[in-house]
Every structure is written in C-alpha cells, then in structure tokens.
Amino acid sequence: MAAAFAFWASRHLLGHQQPVFAAISALICLAPGIPSQIRQGMGLIVGVTVGIVVGELALVIPADLAELRMASATFIAMMIAVAFGMPPVVPIQAGASAMLVLLMGPQVAGLARFLDVLIGASTGLIVAFVFFRERLKF
C-alpha cells in the first residue's frame, strides 16, 4: 500500500514518469524485521544523498575511465557513509546511488531520484507511524 501510494504521489505531484525509487524507498522503510523504521528511513535518505553527491562529483572523471570512475565513486561514497555510524542501509544506498548516477545519468538518478526517495521514505514513515506506532523507536 505504501509503495503504491509513494509511486502515485511522485508521479502526480512531481510529474515523474516512472518513480520506481519512490516505491522502493517506501518498501525499504517498512521492511519486516528491521529494529527501527525511523532509523531505516533516515539512513536511506542519508545514504542516497551521499551517493548522489559523490556520483555527481565523479562525473568530472573522463568517461574513458568509466570503470575507474565507477569503482572509486562507489568506494568513496560507501566509506563516507560508514563514517556516519548508522545502519547498513546507509553505505549500501550510498554505493548504489553513486553507481546509479554514473550508469543512468544525473537526470534520472540525481535530483529526481533524491525527490523520489524523500517521498518514498516519508510515505513509509507515515504508514509506520499509523500502523506500527507501538513498535516505533529511534
């Protein structure tokens, strides 16, 4: 339900044609077995932000060195994210986000993805608050 709503919201409010990342973000926030939906949602946003910034900066490396650019951006994004001391979702999302910027381009995986993640994480956290309030903790 949360994933479908996040997809709808991003599509109609932001005009994104295929807001897959909004739906996925809502799902990640509500994954069963995680100790805290709030930490998961915050970690998701931090990781995606770090990855997008590092991925965008890596675009200055010439495309001829695509493999080096990908490897270094992924590594750097994950190392920066680890420094935050947050759950594993943070470095995972940082590395994946840096890769996506480089593979899909910043038009799809940059600001558009960040906004989709904000909508998805917000939707997931609202649903968690409404349906799982007694289990919510930071």
Side-chain angles (χ1 to χ4, degrees):
M1 178 176 94
F5 179 79
F7 187 91
W8 176 89
S10 186
R11 192 171 205 185
H12 293 285
L13 298 176
L14 300 178
H16 295 170
Q17 293 299 315
Q18 291 296 322
V20 174
F21 298 120
I24 291 171
S25 298
L27 184 68
I28 290 171
C29 288
L30 294 169
I34 58 173
S36 169
Q37 280 84 17
I38 294 170
R39 283 187 58 130
Q40 185 84 343
M42 289 174 49
L44 177 66
I45 292 168
V46 169
V48 168
T49 303
V50 168
I52 288 172
V53 168
V54 171
E56 295 268 355
L57 292 172
L59 289 172
V60 301
I61 298 172
D64 296 353
L65 303 171
E67 293 82 5
L68 177 63
R69 179 168 69 176
M70 174 89 60
S72 60
T74 304
F75 178 76
I76 291 168
M78 292 182 81
M79 290 303 103
I80 291 171
V82 165
F84 286 105
M86 294 177 79
V89 70
V90 179
I92 292 167
Q93 286 299 320
S97 295
M99 272 194 239
L100 287 169
V101 168
L102 297 172
L103 293 171
M104 300 174 73
Q107 304 82 357
V108 174
L111 180 61
R113 179 165 189 251
F114 176 75
L115 294 173
D116 283 348
V117 168
L118 282 180
I119 286 186
S122 299
T123 301
L125 291 174
I126 290 168
V127 168
F129 182 75
V130 171
F131 291 105
F132 309 115
R133 186 178 319 181
E134 69 283 348
R135 289 190 354 214
L136 282 183
K137 60 182 176 181
F138 186 76

